[in-house]
Amino acid sequence: MRFLRAEDKGVPGMTTTRWWARCVAAGAVALGLAHGSAEAVAVSVNPVLPNQNALAVPSFGDFNIALTFLDSTGAVSSPGAQIEGIFNNAVTFWEGQIAGYRDPGLAADIPFLEIDVTIDAIDGVSNILGFAGPTVATVSGGFVTPNAGQITLDVDDINNFLSFQGGIDFIEAVAIHEMAHVMGFVPSVWDLNGVVANEVDGFFTEYTGFYGLQAYNTEFAAELGGPVAFIPLEDAGGPGTQGAHWDEQGFANFSLLNGTNANVNPEIMTGFLNNANYLSQTTRWSFQDIGYAVLPLPAAGWMLLAALGVLFSVGHVRRA
């Protein structure tokens, strides 16, 4: 078992998100918030292409997420049925994407990915919405895979969202996105698994994991115009965004094909969420690079999500 160090200022291992900065960057999102409303939209899972099923590997055990809701003192405490329901929906979403683990040692040591969820005061409305990320990982079979993590959201921001029509969908967007970071979509875990490269000023700029890259070249063959050697990681935004998400402009050549003034990239694991988000097969299969076994055919259906910023950092966990 390996403990992941809690770090700040964008050092691999922890990240924070300032939602107002993302909303301003997103333009339309800022307008939605400014007018006190947020329109919910469906976020789909991109279809599996036939040759992507060849990427499937043997799966050991099951992938399960266990949530514990805590108050500001660390005591088990419910944030209310509405918030619990949002996070349980996010659990269902991710359990429908992952079959289990690539190594029996991982399966034996991780019966649940345990996530502590805390709704606490951070800095008032706007600025930092929260933190999230893995805190403990299991080392087995050549993989470093999280088995515990934490999501902390600002109570003032949450209450602010709940005052909007459709604001609950903003929180769902955050829950989905942040659970992915706890699962290991973070620079520290990528680095420990050897799937990132080209570190510049403390931030990785290239994702090179085999399965994620194979899916990327298949899923976006038309957009890319031919196979590429890496998936670009975000090269702007500073600590909490840079090096920790797919690149907003470069992922699937988004800006090249849509213009630099187009809406932000709709893939859910880019650094900014907008009002037409989707989960790419690239993101799904990238989890296989860090020890998970991905379901070749994901669970059917979709989730209601909406535009908002993202966040992720660190914590600790235990199931009630």
Side-chain angles (χ1 to χ4, degrees):
M1 187 172 294
R2 181 164 187 158
F3 290 84
L4 302 178
R5 183 162 59 94
E7 301 164 285
D8 203 356
K9 302 303 181 185
V11 177
M14 171 176 177
T15 348
T16 62
T17 294
R18 293 166 172 79
W19 73 268
W20 61 265
R22 299 173 186 277
C23 289
V24 170
V29 178
L31 289 174
L33 291 175
H35 287 85
S37 65
E39 183 179 356
V41 296
V43 174
S44 62
V45 179
N46 257 14
V48 174
L49 300 180
N51 54 345
Q52 285 182 332
N53 289 329
L55 297 175
V57 296
S59 177
F60 299 92
D62 297 311
F63 176 66
N64 299 295
I65 298 174
L67 301 177
T68 300
F69 295 95
L70 306 175
D71 64 17
S72 60
T73 70
V76 175
S77 178
S78 173
Q82 190 174 46
I83 299 299
E84 285 196 18
I86 290 171
F87 277 90
N88 286 330
N89 285 345
V91 167
T92 299
F93 180 85
W94 281 118
E95 288 181 347
Q97 311 304 321
I98 306 295
Y101 297 91
R102 294 183 61 186
D103 176 73
L106 293 175
D109 198 56
I110 316 177
F112 295 93
L113 171 62
E114 300 196 7
I115 304 177
D116 282 354
V117 178
T118 303
I119 311 297
D120 195 7
I122 297 179
D123 62 353
V125 176
S126 76
N127 198 22
I128 297 176
L129 172 58
F131 318 94
T135 54
V136 183
T138 291
V139 181
S140 184
F143 301 105
V144 179
T145 307
N147 57 14
Q150 182 179 18
I151 298 172
T152 300
L153 300 182
D154 191 320
V155 65
D156 295 309
D157 286 320
I158 293 301
N159 289 335
N160 189 40
F161 293 143
L162 291 177
S163 71
F164 300 153
Q165 180 182 356
I168 193 170
D169 300 306
F170 281 84
I171 306 172
E172 282 193 346
V174 173
I176 291 285
H177 183 103
E178 299 320 314
M179 276 190 192
H181 287 309
V182 176
M183 289 165 62
F185 198 99
V186 289
S188 57
V189 174
W190 288 339
D191 188 25
L192 291 169
N193 285 280
V195 297
V196 284
N198 194 31
E199 186 174 0
V200 178
D201 296 329
F203 300 100
F204 294 106
T205 64
E206 300 175 359
Y207 183 93
T208 58
F210 176 81
Y211 290 97
L213 185 58
Q214 290 295 308
Y216 185 65
N217 279 320
T218 300
E219 184 174 23
F220 300 108
E223 291 85 350
L224 298 174
V228 296
F230 62 87
I231 304 170
L233 297 175
E234 183 58 59
D235 59 1
T241 301
Q242 191 169 350
H245 301 86
W246 304 136
D247 184 61
E248 200 73 36
Q249 287 75 40
F251 186 84
N253 279 337
F254 184 78
S255 290
L256 178 64
L257 297 175
N258 296 280
T260 57
N261 294 322
N263 290 332
V264 294
N265 195 313
E267 212 289 333
I268 198 168
M269 294 314 295
T270 58
F272 305 83
L273 304 184
N274 70 353
N275 62 352
N277 301 300
Y278 71 94
L279 174 69
S280 68
Q281 290 298 321
T282 301
T283 294
R284 289 185 71 245
W285 289 100
S286 73
F287 284 105
Q288 204 156 271
D289 291 319
I290 59 173
Y292 297 99
V294 174
L295 280 168
L297 296 175
W302 48 269
M303 291 199 64
L304 286 177
L305 302 179
L308 186 104
V310 298
L311 40 101
F312 64 115
S313 156
V314 335
H316 183 31
V317 301
R318 181 163 181 80
R319 179 166 173 77

